């Protein structure tokens, strides 16, 4: 069977793209002919091919381009190359346009893999709110002729039905237990950052406003008063330069920004920490929290989005109650 998997980016720092990578490998191992089609691609394929369509390099222009992708007739017409595929799986707008048009013209089976659109998170400026509302509106247009929909959490399934009037089945993201498990050791990370005898908090993910890292830094300040030897490791690629500059100003000497970390090294970072902490304001699944738990680590997070479903080993705190969040982390760190 020929399967096309569509995703806007196919990069190691994106949770969605890591799900796509695993899906592509699984289908390829079963003998299917698989192609991942993306606007930008950095992940090296294993048993399948990757087709990169291209988009602007500037981050601001990228956001505009992805929103108004349908105006690029040359790229949109790439759907004609999908004529001989049996199934198209689209993971996010704007790639849905290709699936939508291929379904309409060639009646190819069109599956939508729902990772959610953040219209309720930390959207503090008018531009961002307007952008996401328009993003949802355009995404809904491209979902009018799907055959099936799958959401990665019950929270997203309910949201999809509410916002798009589409019923979906729930399939949680898989965690690679061969890589993420309690037997992994974090010695090399402890040595690299000189963390011996430190109490280590860890965050993994994009450095973006809705991830609430500025809240996490405030929480960390409170934790330090009770646990002076605490250290906060923030692993991830900055995607908003102004926001990252703000965080650097808020951070003290015990906050370490590692930048992008290779996917194969992530298990060692989870193994290093005493607590996995995320102050995210919106999550459709939260892959890092699930990976941390697979490594035997407790998670502290706000009770938002999918966290009730995903956080099984740890503490959920009422959203934005920073004192309770700090207390939860301290409680875990002070346990024998």
């Amino acid at each position: 069977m020929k399967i096309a998997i569509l995703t806007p980016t196919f990069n190691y720092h994106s949770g969605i793209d890591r799900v796509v990578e695993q899906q592509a490998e699984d289908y390829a191992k079963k003998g299917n002919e698989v192609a991942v089609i993306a606007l930008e691609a950095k992940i090296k394929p294993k048993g399948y091919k990757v087709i990169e369509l291209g988009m602007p390099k500037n981050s601001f222009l990228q956001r505009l381009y992805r929103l108004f992708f349908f105006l690029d007739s040359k790229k949109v017409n790439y759907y004609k190359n999908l004529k001989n595929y049996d199934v198209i799986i689209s993971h996010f707008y704007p790639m849905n346009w290709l699936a939508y048009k291929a379904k309409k013209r060639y009646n190819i089976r069109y599956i939508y893999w729902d990772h959610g659109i953040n219209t309720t998170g930390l959207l503090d400026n008018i531009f961002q709110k307007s952008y996401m509302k328009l993003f949802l509106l355009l995404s809904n247009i491209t979902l009018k002729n799907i055959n099936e929909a799958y959401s990665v959490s019950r929270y997203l399934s309910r949201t999809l039905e509410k916002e798009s009037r589409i019923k979906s089945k729930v399939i949680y993201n898989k965690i690679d237990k061969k890589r993420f498990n309690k037997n992994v050791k974090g010695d090399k990370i402890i040595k690299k950052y000189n963390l011996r005898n430190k109490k280590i908090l860890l965050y993994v993910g994009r450095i973006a406003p809705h991830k609430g890292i500025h809240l996490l830094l405030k929480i960390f300040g409170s934790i330090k008063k009770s646990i002076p030897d605490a250290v906060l490791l923030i692993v991830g690629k900055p995607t908003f330069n102004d926001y990252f500059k703000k965080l650097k100003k808020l951070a003290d000497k015990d906050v370490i920004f590692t930048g992008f970390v290779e996917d194969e090294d992530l298990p060692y970072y989870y193994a290093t920490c005493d607590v996995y902490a995320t102050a995210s304001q919106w999550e459709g699944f939260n892959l890092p929290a699930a990976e941390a738990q697979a490594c035997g680590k407790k998670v502290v997070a706000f009770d938002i989005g999918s966290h009730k479903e995903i956080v099984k080993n740890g503490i959920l705190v009422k959203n934005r109650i920073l004192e309770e969040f700090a207390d939860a982390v301290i409680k875990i760190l002070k346990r024998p």
Side-chain angles (χ1 to χ4, degrees):
M1 190 160 63
K2 289 188 71 175
I3 302 171
I5 304 177
L6 314 182
T7 181
T9 62
F10 194 47
N11 298 329
Y12 290 106
H13 63 262
S14 166
I16 292 176
D17 299 348
R18 286 165 62 201
V19 172
V20 171
E21 179 187 26
Q22 190 176 63
Q23 190 177 69
E25 288 181 8
D26 287 347
Y27 277 122
K29 285 175 183 176
K30 293 175 183 176
N32 298 291
E33 185 179 334
V34 180
V36 173
I37 302 167
L39 300 177
E40 178 184 89
K42 297 285 174 26
I43 294 176
K44 295 177 181 178
K46 297 177 183 177
Y48 56 92
K49 65 179 179 179
V50 171
I51 300 165
E52 186 176 14
L53 301 183
M55 67 174 171
K57 299 298 181 185
N58 177 275
S59 59
F60 177 74
L61 292 178
Q62 275 186 13
R63 297 192 78 205
L64 288 178
Y65 180 78
R66 287 170 64 165
L67 185 63
F68 297 110
F69 174 75
F70 58 91
L71 297 177
D72 187 344
S73 58
K74 184 178 179 181
K75 296 279 175 60
V76 171
N77 281 334
Y78 188 84
Y79 82 88
K80 294 175 183 177
N81 293 282
L82 302 177
K83 182 178 180 180
N84 296 318
Y85 282 85
D86 300 295
V87 179
I88 300 172
I89 304 171
S90 186
H91 280 261
F92 210 59
Y93 182 89
M95 304 306 285
N96 304 347
W97 280 112
L98 303 183
Y100 169 78
K101 285 185 168 289
K103 166 67 179 179
K104 195 172 182 180
R105 181 159 181 179
Y106 306 119
N107 198 30
I108 301 169
R109 191 167 190 78
Y110 171 15
I111 297 173
Y112 178 57
W113 215 271
D114 171 37
H115 298 273
I117 295 173
N118 177 19
T119 58
T120 61
L122 201 65
L123 307 175
D124 290 334
N125 64 70
I126 294 173
F127 172 78
Q128 178 72 353
K129 288 179 180 178
S130 301
Y131 179 93
M132 294 312 299
K133 284 182 180 179
L134 185 54
F135 195 98
L136 176 61
L137 176 67
L138 293 171
S139 180
N140 282 343
I141 292 172
T142 65
L143 299 178
K144 287 182 177 178
N145 59 351
I146 64 169
N147 291 98
E148 295 174 75
Y150 295 92
S151 296
V152 299
S153 65
R154 292 195 301 273
Y155 163 72
L156 285 185
S157 184
R158 292 191 298 268
T159 303
L160 184 66
E161 186 170 4
K162 179 182 177 182
E163 294 182 341
S164 308
R165 297 181 181 178
I166 292 171
K167 291 187 177 182
S168 61
K169 296 177 183 177
V170 175
I171 297 182
Y172 290 112
N173 293 333
K174 293 180 182 178
I175 305 301
D176 186 350
K177 297 293 180 67
K178 291 180 181 179
R179 293 178 57 231
F180 301 100
N181 59 71
K182 296 177 182 179
N183 296 321
V184 179
K185 304 299 180 186
D187 295 352
K188 69 176 185 178
I189 306 302
I190 290 172
K191 184 177 180 181
K192 180 177 180 178
Y193 295 105
N194 193 25
L195 300 176
R196 188 73 60 192
N197 299 320
K198 299 288 186 179
K199 294 293 187 180
I200 303 165
L201 282 72
L202 175 70
Y203 163 81
V204 175
R206 287 196 300 132
I207 312 297
H210 79 272
K211 294 294 186 178
I213 300 163
H214 57 292
L215 301 176
L216 187 57
L217 291 176
K218 291 179 181 177
I219 292 164
F220 182 65
S222 298
I223 293 168
K224 289 276 291 179
K225 293 174 184 177
S226 294
I227 304 179
D229 60 346
V231 172
L232 173 60
L233 274 180
I234 297 178
V235 176
K237 180 182 177 180
T239 51
F240 293 82
N241 289 331
D242 290 343
Y243 181 63
F244 185 55
K245 289 176 183 176
K246 174 185 173 183
L247 296 178
K248 295 283 279 186
K249 289 179 181 178
L250 288 172
D252 66 22
K253 62 181 179 60
D254 291 317
V255 177
I256 301 171
F257 292 93
T258 69
F260 170 72
V261 166
E262 294 291 342
D263 199 45
E264 59 264 27
D265 288 332
L266 279 179
Y268 306 113
Y269 281 84
Y270 292 125
T272 300
C273 77
D274 295 289
V275 176
Y276 182 82
T278 171
S280 181
Q281 295 295 283
W282 184 87
E283 291 292 343
F285 182 81
N286 202 330
L287 192 61
E291 290 170 344
Q293 289 176 114
C295 292
K297 305 302 178 178
K298 290 191 178 296
V299 173
V300 178
F302 287 127
D303 188 4
I304 52 91
S306 62
H307 281 165
K308 267 194 174 72
E309 302 167 64
I310 307 307
V311 179
K312 301 298 183 183
N313 180 25
I315 301 172
L316 289 181
V317 178
K318 188 175 180 181
N319 194 26
R320 286 182 173 259
I321 308 300
L322 307 191
E323 297 84 2
E324 286 187 18
F325 195 112
D327 289 344
V329 173
I330 291 166
K331 180 180 178 182
I332 293 171
L333 291 179
K334 285 189 172 181
R335 283 176 182 167

